[in-house]
Amino acid sequence: MHNYIADFLNLDKTALTTAGGKGANLGELARINGIHVPDGFCITTEAFKHIVAGNAGVAALLDQLAVVPATDRAAIASLSAAIRGQIEAIPIPAGLREAIHNHLTAYGVNDAYAVRSSATAEDLPTASFAGQQDTYLNIVGGEAILTHVRQCWASLFTERAVSYRIQHGFDHRTVPLVVVIQKMVFPQASGMLFTADPVTSNRSVVSIDAGFGLGEALVSGRTNADTYKVRNGIITEMVIPAKTLVMEAAAAGGTQERELPPDRQQQQVLTDAQIGELAGIGRQIEQHFGSPQDIEWCLAGKQFYIVQSRPITTLYPLPAVSDQQPHVYISVGHQQMMTDPIRPLGMSLWQLTAGRPMYAAGGRLFVDVAPELATPAGRQLMLNVLGNNDPLIKDALTSILAREDFIQPVTDDATVQKSPSGNPALADYQTLKDFDPSVVGELIRQSQASIEAFREEIKHKTGPALIDFIVDHIRQTRGAMKDPRGFRVIMTAMNASTWLNEHIAQWLGEKGVADTLTQSVPNNITSEMGLALLDVADVIRPYPAVIERLQQAVDDSFLNQLDDVQGGREAREAILAFLDQYGMRCSGEIDITRPRWREQPALLLPVILSNVRNSVPGAARQKFEEGLREATRKRESILERLRQLPGGDEKAAAADRMIQLVRNLIGYREYPKYDIVSRYFICKQALLAEAGRLVQAGVLPDAGDIFYLTFNELDDLVRTHTVDNQLIQQRKADYFRFDKLTPPRVYTSEGEIITSSYKRENLPAGAIAGLAVSAGIVEGRARVIRQMGEAEPGPDDILVTSFTDPGWTPLFVSIKGLVTEVGGLMTHGAVIAREYGLPAVVGIDKATSLIKDGQRIRVNGTEGYVEILDFG
């Protein structure tokens, strides 16, 4: 039985599989000089495996539990209760009983102990299972301890613990339980310590919760706790609420609660000196483990004891930097309307495309704008360019600038020459008001010629020459935005839109007129794509057999299964023609590794079938002409009303110049992304062909593995034919973990997520504020969708989702309105919503949680808020 028991002093962080997360961390804590950990030992996983998991009755029940889905609550409750009953009835072998007795004798056989559960999937850097299993305090006597050991084993199968493991993909058989038996400390105070602020994620702030007596009353929420914030050894915040009760050890064993006398309820639990001492202990433990920690502590007499420390798993990772300077990170994903994680190849290629230093963290990219914020010109640029597009970013940056001790200002503006996208500084619209709109057609023709030349040249490249060719091409082009005329087109259109909204609101009292004026503009490649898919539906609609075949399709082979039904050939040709022009697109298209429509055409089937069902023949032309009529009527109405004002002729002439600039130029806003993803798809096909050759040569097990390498690493692989498969597997695991994280819009090098809000007044009661990006008011059914493949919208639906990039555009022709969690005035979803005349509100944090699928909602795209009309 010697491998069934392990003392803390014989354990360290490598003992996870033997002692579980809690046991391994206690062993590690006991090794830190100056950190006091109550003595104790673990009943190891070997004991659990042989005594519990090896039990025939338990094994049979586990077989049944293995096939139960997370949604079947009744089956989980029934089976977990049966397993607990089986475990609690298992006799503990004589050898283990003797080993436990010997250890209790060494530590004090008549002393009190805490008996705690510790799972091997607990307190991990990637998933905290804290609190999933049971803890028992003040247990006295050998038989009582043995009883609670069995109860701890059984607590591995509480309904909550079982559900948690199913949801996180853990096999019940691979998560054995350890029981920690630890000398009981009878504290006058206890609580939690976080070495990073759990509210703001600021790593420079230690947050302490403290209460009288045992800490279980705090953990369970039955009493309030003092909260202390400490930064650089200085107490910066202290909240001392009324504490009504205390949990203490009972004389007969176990615990009891009693009310605190009134004179102690408002008393500060820890002195200022004790707070400073405890914060220092937290920093020492954090330094030892190498990551922010969630620490359980207690104070007995004048001594602090640490009874647990685990990594804080909820913090968003920080970019790796080599200096200690302050940084302000802005999410690239929020600007590009794609906040999902990106695989390494996708990140490195986007960094190459952008031509600006970026930082990777949590599978996303961030830009450091601290250098710009340090200068007057840079601050103005950030607030005008980024801030005017996304008020939440502007609010966050304003908050940071108000902290005079964070960004040290400099007066030399010579270092700030470019905007965050790497383009020339913002040009004023007055200098461009006579901008020749014919340049748009010229830019598009140049782009298409360059793409075709790239497609032909890359066919002849393989091996290292292919990698070099792609890198050189991307650097030379930097997308369509390399030509400064393209940036000037977009900025002229944006500034003209702003001019119209501001001046018409001032002169005529009408808000958001530019939204109507931008309907059905020329040269918008993305809105044209949505209309083109309506044309595909027109081809399919007359053929019921084709519709039935598409409804039955289960994979991407459906295109090869159409020729044997009436209309099948016509349908296949229509879909292929669409893919020829738009097949390089997809949701999340800035990531080259995401599957394109050409690669997985079944992604389009829900939208195609929705168009067949909900649109009428010729809907694409009708929709475009209706938008054009709306824009024309709005222009005529504005000009007519302006002419009635004092100085009306001059005002009308100025407004009409701006209207013409908007209508002739704003459509180009969508083209640079189309240019980039067109080149990306060509690159992807060539790189996958190269990967296929490496698979044939036995170098790679799977072509898709190249997605988990950076471009430089792929270059090395192609040149050396050596691959680090362990690195690839780790990157795959990282990607899965990153997918569960929510990236911040703006955060600092201290890890602080800068919260921001819309400064609004006079909203209806209960309204959810966002950013108004497409004018109009509409009511409909909320369709909460997180993946485009889930979507089959109806004509009464309002799309509610996390983000929409151009790959979501086909849905826009079938919905009434749009609500997103991410977005700005000029992001793709906003541009297309305006062109299609869809009221839209974006930038609503947690919209997909606040709004439930099927609820009736009202979207006010003029004022920028959403109302929930029913809560059924």
Side-chain angles (χ1 to χ4, degrees):
M1 298 288 175
H2 68 280
N3 60 343
Y4 284 6
I5 299 285
D7 288 286
F8 291 166
L9 292 177
N10 295 325
L11 298 171
D12 59 21
K13 61 186 177 182
T14 65
L16 177 65
T17 58
T18 300
K22 190 179 278 94
N25 285 354
L26 283 169
E28 196 71 30
L29 284 165
R31 295 167 176 267
I32 305 175
N33 185 38
I35 301 299
H36 297 276
V37 178
D39 292 335
F41 60 95
C42 294
I43 301 175
T44 68
T45 54
E46 289 302 311
F48 181 89
K49 291 174 184 177
H50 285 87
I51 299 168
V52 179
N55 181 275
V58 172
L61 291 168
L62 285 176
D63 288 340
Q64 298 179 49
L65 188 61
V67 297
V68 174
T71 55
D72 193 343
R73 306 292 302 179
I76 290 173
S78 175
L79 284 169
S80 59
I83 294 172
R84 291 196 303 275
Q86 192 83 27
I87 293 173
E88 289 176 3
I90 293 175
I92 295 181
L96 179 57
R97 294 171 67 94
E98 182 180 358
I100 292 173
H101 176 76
N102 291 338
H103 279 75
L104 293 177
T105 300
Y107 290 127
V109 70
N110 295 318
D111 289 345
Y113 290 85
V115 183
R116 303 173 182 269
S117 306
S118 176
T120 55
E122 181 180 61
D123 298 343
L124 301 177
T126 57
S128 176
F129 283 58
Q132 293 294 318
Q133 285 78 50
D134 289 346
T135 288
Y136 303 96
L137 301 179
N138 194 28
I139 309 301
V140 181
E143 287 303 318
I145 287 175
L146 292 176
T147 296
H148 286 89
V149 166
R150 282 191 294 263
Q151 290 177 349
C152 282
W153 283 339
S155 72
L156 184 64
F157 295 97
T158 62
E159 182 180 349
R160 179 179 142 194
V162 168
S163 297
Y164 194 87
R165 286 196 297 275
I166 294 174
Q167 292 167 3
H168 287 77
F170 283 84
D171 184 342
H172 304 294
R173 295 180 182 277
T174 62
V175 187
L177 193 95
V178 174
V179 180
V180 174
I181 299 175
Q182 188 173 24
K183 283 286 287 286
M184 188 71 189
V185 174
F186 300 97
Q188 69 260 30
S190 56
M192 307 296 298
L193 180 153
F194 303 91
T195 62
D197 192 319
V199 176
T200 67
S201 298
N202 193 327
R203 270 78 157 176
S204 69
V205 174
V206 170
S207 179
I208 299 171
D209 288 349
F212 293 116
L214 295 168
E216 272 59 30
L218 300 183
V219 175
S220 62
R222 294 194 297 278
T223 188
N224 293 322
D226 285 5
T227 299
Y228 318 121
K229 301 291 178 69
V230 182
R231 180 170 183 168
N232 298 325
I234 298 173
I235 300 172
T236 59
E237 183 180 335
M238 188 179 296
V239 177
I240 304 178
K243 297 166 282 292
T244 57
L245 61 83
V246 61
M247 180 179 284
E248 298 173 328
T255 60
Q256 63 184 13
E257 292 181 2
R258 68 174 177 87
E259 290 189 7
L260 275 171
D263 63 334
R264 293 195 66 197
Q265 290 183 4
Q266 296 285 353
Q267 182 180 335
Q268 183 175 322
V269 175
L270 298 180
T271 66
D272 289 4
Q274 289 170 334
I275 293 169
E277 180 185 355
L278 184 57
I281 290 171
R283 287 295 183 215
Q284 184 181 359
I285 293 172
E286 177 186 59
Q287 184 177 13
H288 179 86
F289 282 101
S291 66
Q293 296 288 300
D294 169 358
I295 299 167
E296 297 177 29
W297 59 269
C298 55
L299 175 65
K302 296 183 179 180
Q303 184 66 63
F304 281 106
Y305 291 90
I306 304 302
V307 295
Q308 187 49 257
S309 185
R310 62 180 68 88
I312 304 175
T313 61
T314 57
L315 299 176
Y316 195 84
L318 281 169
V321 295
S322 58
D323 60 57
Q324 299 299 317
Q325 298 300 312
H327 301 274
V328 178
Y329 301 112
I330 291 181
S331 165
V332 173
H334 283 76
Q335 300 301 299
Q336 292 298 328
M337 296 293 284
M338 211 292 278
T339 54
D340 290 348
I342 303 177
R343 295 173 181 84
L345 186 64
M347 283 201 289
S348 59
L349 189 59
W350 186 257
Q351 289 174 289
L352 182 65
T353 303
R356 177 186 172 101
M358 295 183 183
Y359 297 86
R364 280 84 171 180
L365 289 169
F366 295 85
V367 172
D368 177 23
V369 298
E372 285 89 342
L373 295 179
T375 69
R379 289 193 293 274
Q380 191 70 15
L381 190 65
M382 291 296 102
L383 296 177
N384 283 344
V385 177
L386 287 179
N388 288 342
N389 180 58
D390 188 338
L392 291 180
I393 288 181
K394 185 173 186 176
D395 187 56
L397 294 181
T398 301
S399 174
I400 292 172
L401 289 170
R403 305 174 185 181
E404 297 179 358
D405 61 336
F406 189 72
I407 298 292
Q408 297 300 317
V410 297
T411 57
D412 182 9
D413 292 344
T415 58
V416 182
Q417 299 293 336
K418 296 186 177 182
S419 75
S421 61
N423 289 301
L426 181 64
D428 187 80
Y429 73 88
Q430 282 97 344
T431 64
L432 301 173
K433 62 186 178 182
D434 297 321
F435 199 78
D436 182 2
S438 67
V439 73
V440 172
E442 182 181 344
L443 287 168
I444 292 174
R445 287 190 295 273
Q446 287 180 354
S447 166
Q448 291 174 343
S450 173
I451 290 170
E452 286 308 310
F454 180 49
R455 193 191 315 275
E456 287 301 314
E457 291 177 47
I458 205 171
K459 291 178 181 178
H460 310 290
K461 307 294 183 182
T462 60
L466 171 64
I467 306 298
D468 292 342
F469 177 71
I470 290 174
V471 170
D472 289 345
H473 177 79
I474 297 297
R475 283 176 175 163
Q476 289 170 14
T477 58
R478 300 285 190 209
M481 294 298 288
K482 183 175 186 294
D483 190 327
R485 294 179 301 169
F487 181 70
R488 294 172 113 192
V489 166
I490 293 171
M491 293 310 304
T492 301
M494 289 174 60
N495 287 323
S497 296
T498 300
W499 188 98
L500 285 166
N501 284 334
E502 291 177 350
H503 284 75
I504 301 306
Q506 176 186 348
W507 291 338
L508 299 177
E510 184 176 353
K511 292 184 177 181
V513 296
D515 297 352
T516 304
L517 293 166
T518 55
Q519 291 187 42
S520 300
V521 296
N523 297 313
N524 190 319
I525 190 71
T526 307
S527 64
E528 290 169 1
M529 176 177 67
L531 298 179
L533 209 55
L534 284 175
D535 291 335
V536 172
D538 285 352
V539 175
I540 293 170
R541 191 178 293 105
Y543 302 110
V546 173
I547 297 171
E548 181 179 3
R549 186 64 58 86
L550 296 181
Q551 290 171 334
Q552 296 172 348
V554 295
D555 57 36
D556 297 307
S557 65
F558 72 91
L559 284 171
N560 299 322
Q561 300 169 5
L562 292 177
D563 286 352
D564 62 341
V565 297
Q566 184 181 10
R569 185 177 63 181
E570 291 86 346
R572 182 166 62 85
E573 289 176 354
I575 294 172
L576 287 174
F578 177 87
L579 293 174
D580 284 343
Q581 186 162 5
Y582 302 109
M584 77 294 289
R585 311 214 81 157
C586 66
S587 176
E589 60 191 9
I590 67 169
D591 179 4
I592 191 177
T593 73
R594 298 274 283 237
R596 311 283 140 170
W597 294 337
R598 169 63 80 175
E599 296 168 313
Q600 294 185 6
L603 292 170
L604 290 171
L605 284 179
V607 184
I608 292 173
L609 291 169
S610 175
N611 287 347
V612 170
R613 184 173 58 252
N614 297 316
S615 64
V616 298
R621 178 174 292 277
Q622 291 177 27
K623 192 170 188 66
F624 184 85
E625 291 178 347
E626 180 183 345
L628 188 59
R629 286 193 296 271
E630 283 291 317
T632 301
R633 283 195 293 265
K634 178 61 68 176
R635 170 180 174 271
E636 292 172 349
S637 171
I638 288 171
L639 298 182
E640 181 180 352
R641 286 181 287 159
L642 286 176
R643 292 189 185 105
Q644 309 304 314
L645 300 177
D649 288 343
E650 291 81 3
K651 290 174 180 176
D656 202 24
R657 283 198 301 273
M658 297 302 164
I659 291 171
Q660 297 308 317
L661 286 174
V662 168
R663 289 201 55 78
N664 284 304
L665 303 182
I666 198 68
Y668 183 73
R669 168 65 181 85
E670 291 296 299
Y671 193 83
K673 180 69 73 68
Y674 178 82
D675 175 284
I676 291 170
V677 299
S678 296
R679 298 175 196 273
Y680 273 17
F681 189 47
I682 296 169
C683 291
K684 183 179 185 180
Q685 291 174 305
L687 290 173
L688 283 175
E690 185 67 26
R693 289 187 282 271
L694 293 172
V695 170
Q696 289 180 343
V699 177
L700 274 179
D702 183 81
D705 286 349
I706 65 170
F707 296 157
Y708 297 92
L709 300 174
T710 66
F711 222 83
N712 287 338
E713 291 166 346
L714 178 58
D715 189 12
D716 290 340
L717 168 62
V718 170
R719 294 177 191 277
T720 65
H721 278 208
T722 57
V723 61
D724 186 342
N725 285 310
Q726 186 175 356
L727 174 66
I728 290 174
Q729 294 308 312
Q730 181 59 52
R731 296 265 178 85
K732 290 180 179 180
D734 288 343
Y735 181 78
F736 179 79
R737 176 165 54 93
F738 294 154
D739 191 41
K740 301 180 184 301
L741 300 176
T742 300
R745 267 185 179 81
V746 180
Y747 75 140
T748 72
S749 47
E750 294 179 334
E752 181 182 3
I753 296 174
I754 308 299
T755 57
S756 49
S757 61
Y758 297 102
K759 304 299 187 283
R760 307 285 277 285
E761 296 179 355
N762 303 319
L763 290 179
I768 307 170
L771 177 63
V773 296
S774 184
I777 301 173
V778 67
E779 294 182 12
R781 180 183 69 156
R783 289 290 286 114
V784 180
I785 298 169
R786 291 175 175 80
Q787 300 291 332
M788 182 179 159
E790 304 170 359
E792 288 190 50
D796 189 46
D797 288 350
I798 296 172
L799 176 61
V800 181
T801 191
S802 299
F803 63 83
T804 60
D805 64 0
W808 286 74
T809 300
L811 294 180
F812 284 28
V813 298
S814 303
I815 59 176
K816 297 175 68 174
L818 174 68
V819 178
T820 68
E821 296 177 339
V822 176
L825 285 168
M826 290 306 296
T827 48
H828 299 275
V831 171
I832 303 305
R834 289 194 290 269
E835 173 144 353
Y836 285 166
L838 300 174
V841 177
V842 303
I844 296 180
D845 190 33
K846 299 180 180 177
T848 57
S849 300
L850 296 172
I851 302 170
K852 307 302 181 186
D853 188 61
Q855 285 182 323
R856 298 292 299 179
I857 63 174
R858 179 185 297 124
V859 175
N860 189 320
T862 304
E863 300 294 340
Y865 61 83
V866 177
E867 296 174 272
I868 299 176
L869 304 180
D870 72 71
F871 295 85

